């Protein structure tokens, strides 16, 4: 029952993306929850992480070598007298102070003693009992990180709204936080539609296929910090679809897959319209994923955003990443993240048709200073094998049709 839409009335990719970003920025995040540090990975900080002490807490040597006074090394070959050894984590030697003509052996991560203002690397020295000969000059401050220069006590190290990665975990650990406050994972209902679908634990009949989209979406939702709730498959019948949609609208976000194209049994829009849904857009000039639908439904005093994602497996994956992910970010309290675009050199030429922004499954390889990308041959947007062998999409702007080997192209990383 999908409405007939002409291409010219459809939004461009950039317009559709801008709309979801704007909607995402107006969403209120879920309630905060305190979780143990490693369980926070992939979730969003509901509090800022502050320094509980200066970072570093003492002038930290960044090299193994000798703590010295830079002024003593003005001449090319200085001779210094060794007066001690400072290892990382060793007892603080309060009395130890480096005077003129003196040095102390020091290890990476150890506090530079008073009097010294630099560390000279062991590689530039020669030791002879209690005497060290230095063949190089050093600048004051060289190989020493001043106390508080990374963060001063009480200052914000990681802002609220940051999605927790291994780097955030490191900061939380460094400031002594075995537990941190994160926004609760938004609940995302996933509803696959289509008479041809059977669930993965049942044998498909000759005219049926297995429901893979609910699982790929659940995986993408999980990875994006949401809590997927897979609903039973909805057949292509308005009444049963309505029942399941209503259930899905109890979640923080509803993702429907299939049934949004212009076919006779594409009922999703029609049934959502009967709930007085507000359709924010119905279609975008992209491939795969052109029939994508975005809107919201007010039911029982709460507004639930929803997406109708086209059922072809690659279309579902692409439209989730392009449009549903920012909404999930907004619900999670995350500051909006740009899509992970990059550039790479095209390994083999290809042609396509103009008119749509295309996201074509591709394989990114090459070496660090010459990333290379190549299209994966595919049988259009239902081709699961092709997408499973890809690790990015080549992004084709709507006005382009021919790409030459060696050209730099834009890619979208998964
Ligand atoms: P539709 O968007 O409903 O027109 O479906 C487009 C294509 O995607 C058809 O070939 C469907 O059989 C297929 N498809 C729809 N939903 C799923 C699903 N959940 N899992 C795998 N394939 C699907
Ligand atoms: Mg269908």
């Amino acid at each position: 029952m999908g409405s007939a839409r002409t291409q010219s009335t459809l939004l461009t990719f950039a317009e559709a993306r801008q709309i979801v970003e704007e909607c995402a920025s107006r969403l209120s995040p879920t309630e905060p929850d305190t979780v143990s540090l490693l369980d926070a990975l992939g979730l969003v900080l509901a509090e800022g992480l502050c320094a509980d002490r200066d970072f570093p807490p003492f002038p930290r040597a960044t090299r193994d070598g000798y703590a010295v006074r830079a002024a003593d090394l003005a001449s090319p070959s200085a001779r210094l007298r060794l007066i001690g050894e400072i290892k990382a984590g060793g007892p603080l030697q309060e009395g130890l102070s480096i005077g003129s003509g003196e040095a102390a052996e020091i290890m990476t991560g150890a506090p530079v003693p008073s009097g010294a203002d630099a560390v000279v690397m062991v590689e530039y020295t020669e030791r002879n009992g209690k005497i060290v000969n230095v063949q190089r000059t050093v600048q004051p401050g060289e190989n020493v990180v001043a106390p508080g220069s990374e963060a001063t006590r009480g200052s914000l190290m990681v802002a609220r709204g940051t999605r927790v990665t291994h780097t955030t975990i490191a900061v939380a650990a460094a400031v002594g936080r075995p537990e941190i406050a994160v926004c609760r994972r938004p609940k995302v209902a996933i509803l696959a539609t289509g008479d041809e679908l059977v669930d993965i634990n049942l044998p498909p009949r000759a005219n049926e296929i297995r429901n893979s989209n609910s699982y790929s979406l659940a995986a993408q939702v999980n990875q994006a910090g949401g809590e997927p709730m897979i609903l039973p498959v909805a057949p292509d019948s308005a009444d049963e679809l309505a029942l399941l949609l209503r259930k899905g609208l109890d979640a923080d976000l509803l993702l429907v897959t299939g049934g949004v194209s212009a076919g006779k049994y594409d009922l999703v829009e029609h049934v959502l319209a009967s709930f007085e849904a507000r359709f924010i857009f119905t279609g975008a000039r992209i491939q795969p994923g052109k029939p994508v639908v975005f809107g919201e439904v007010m039911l029982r005093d709460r507004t639930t955003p929803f997406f109708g994602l086209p059922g072809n497996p690659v279309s579902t994956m692409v439209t989730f990443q392009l449009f549903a992910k920012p909404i999930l970010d907004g619900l999670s309290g995350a500051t909006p993240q740009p899509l992970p675009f990059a550039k790479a050199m095209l390994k083999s030429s290809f042609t396509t048709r103009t008119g749509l922004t295309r996201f074509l499954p591709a394989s990114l390889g090459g070496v660090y200073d010459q990333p290379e990308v190549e299209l994966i041959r595919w049988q259009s947007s239902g081709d699961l094998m092709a997408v499973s062998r890809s690790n990015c999409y080549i992004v084709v702007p709507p006005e382009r049709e021919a790409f030459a080997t060696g050209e730099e192209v834009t890619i979208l990383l998964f």
Side-chain angles (χ1 to χ4, degrees):
M1 188 90 168
S3 49
R5 301 165 202 129
T6 59
Q7 189 148 306
S8 58
T9 64
L10 299 181
L11 299 178
T12 64
F13 160 63
E15 288 164 347
R17 172 76 192 186
Q18 198 188 340
I19 287 173
V20 290
E21 282 181 6
E22 278 164 19
C23 290
S25 69
R26 288 196 295 270
L27 292 168
S28 336
T30 49
E31 297 295 304
D33 195 8
T34 299
V35 298
S36 66
L37 186 51
L38 287 177
D39 291 338
L41 187 66
L43 303 184
V44 176
L45 280 183
E47 60 168 336
L49 294 177
C50 294
D52 65 325
R53 61 205 296 227
D54 282 348
F55 280 77
F58 48 77
R60 183 179 66 214
T62 62
R63 293 284 189 273
D64 294 321
Y66 296 93
V68 297
R69 290 172 170 239
D72 284 346
L73 305 185
S75 68
S77 179
R79 233 172 98 83
L80 303 173
R81 199 156 39 82
L82 271 179
I83 62 160
E85 180 198 274
I86 311 143
K87 63 192 280 276
L92 281 179
Q93 299 170 46
E94 307 286 357
L96 184 70
S97 177
I98 307 298
S100 181
E102 294 176 340
E105 194 174 6
I106 194 163
M107 318 302 154
T108 301
V112 174
S114 69
D117 60 0
V119 169
V120 62
M121 285 165 71
V122 68
E123 289 86 338
Y124 304 125
T125 65
E126 218 173 59
R127 171 98 172 249
N128 199 343
K130 289 277 172 206
I131 298 297
V132 59
N133 292 304
V134 184
Q135 294 102 21
R136 263 231 165 185
T137 61
V138 287
Q139 297 298 315
E142 202 169 315
N143 301 325
V144 181
V145 182
S149 60
E150 293 163 353
T152 53
R153 185 183 166 162
S155 68
L156 183 67
M157 290 180 83
V158 184
R160 168 199 184 125
T162 302
R163 200 170 280 285
V164 176
T165 66
H166 60 285
T167 64
T168 328
I169 299 265
V171 171
V175 300
R177 297 294 308 275
E179 294 188 323
I180 53 178
V182 289
C183 298
R184 187 175 58 71
R185 288 175 182 271
K187 288 195 170 50
V188 182
I190 296 171
L191 178 60
T193 75
D195 281 345
E196 74 278 34
L197 302 177
V198 291
D199 206 358
I200 56 175
N201 42 24
L202 294 173
R205 287 194 288 249
N207 58 341
E208 292 175 333
I209 59 163
R210 293 195 179 89
N211 166 21
S212 59
N213 287 350
S214 290
Y215 295 91
S216 63
L217 276 176
Q220 285 181 290
V221 164
N222 235 325
Q223 231 166 20
E227 185 184 326
M229 303 185 329
I230 298 181
L231 294 171
V233 171
D236 292 320
S237 119
D239 290 347
E240 288 180 71
L241 192 56
L243 271 176
L244 286 162
L245 283 173
R246 192 174 282 273
K247 208 162 169 191
L249 288 166
D250 283 339
D252 297 306
L253 171 64
L254 167 63
L255 302 178
V256 185
T257 131
V260 290
S261 311
K264 188 168 166 196
Y265 297 101
D266 288 324
L267 303 169
V268 170
E269 260 183 85
H270 172 68
V271 177
L272 282 167
S274 73
F275 292 151
E276 309 210 340
R278 183 169 87 88
F279 288 94
I280 299 169
F281 59 73
T282 54
R285 273 181 264 164
I286 58 169
Q287 195 246 344
K290 192 166 145 204
V292 60
V293 171
F294 172 43
E296 57 188 20
V297 172
M298 262 261 290
L299 256 187
R300 300 181 284 269
D301 286 341
R302 57 193 292 273
T303 302
T304 309
F306 67 81
F307 283 91
L309 308 177
N312 266 312
V314 187
S315 314
T316 301
M317 293 171 189
V318 169
T319 48
F320 174 87
Q321 184 180 0
L322 298 180
F323 305 121
K325 169 112 182 345
I327 296 297
L328 193 47
D329 283 344
L331 291 166
S332 315
T335 41
Q337 290 296 303
L339 280 165
F341 291 118
K343 294 276 187 191
M345 197 195 80
L346 191 61
K347 262 176 92 176
S348 22
S349 63
F350 69 92
T351 57
T352 176
R353 279 174 321 220
T354 58
L356 302 173
T357 304
R358 293 174 203 269
F359 298 86
L360 306 176
S363 167
L364 173 68
V367 288
Y368 80 97
D369 60 346
Q370 187 61 278
E372 293 176 341
V373 68
E374 151 172 69
L375 275 190
I376 303 275
R377 276 181 193 288
W378 71 335
Q379 308 293 332
S380 90
S381 49
D383 193 341
L384 274 177
M385 295 314 117
V387 78
S388 72
R389 280 186 280 116
S390 66
N391 55 12
C392 66
Y393 304 107
I394 292 179
V395 185
V396 179
E399 69 284 359
R400 289 293 304 270
E401 58 185 341
F403 288 84
T405 304
E407 231 186 279
E408 194 181 64
V409 292
T410 299
I411 59 172
L412 173 65
L413 300 168
F414 283 2

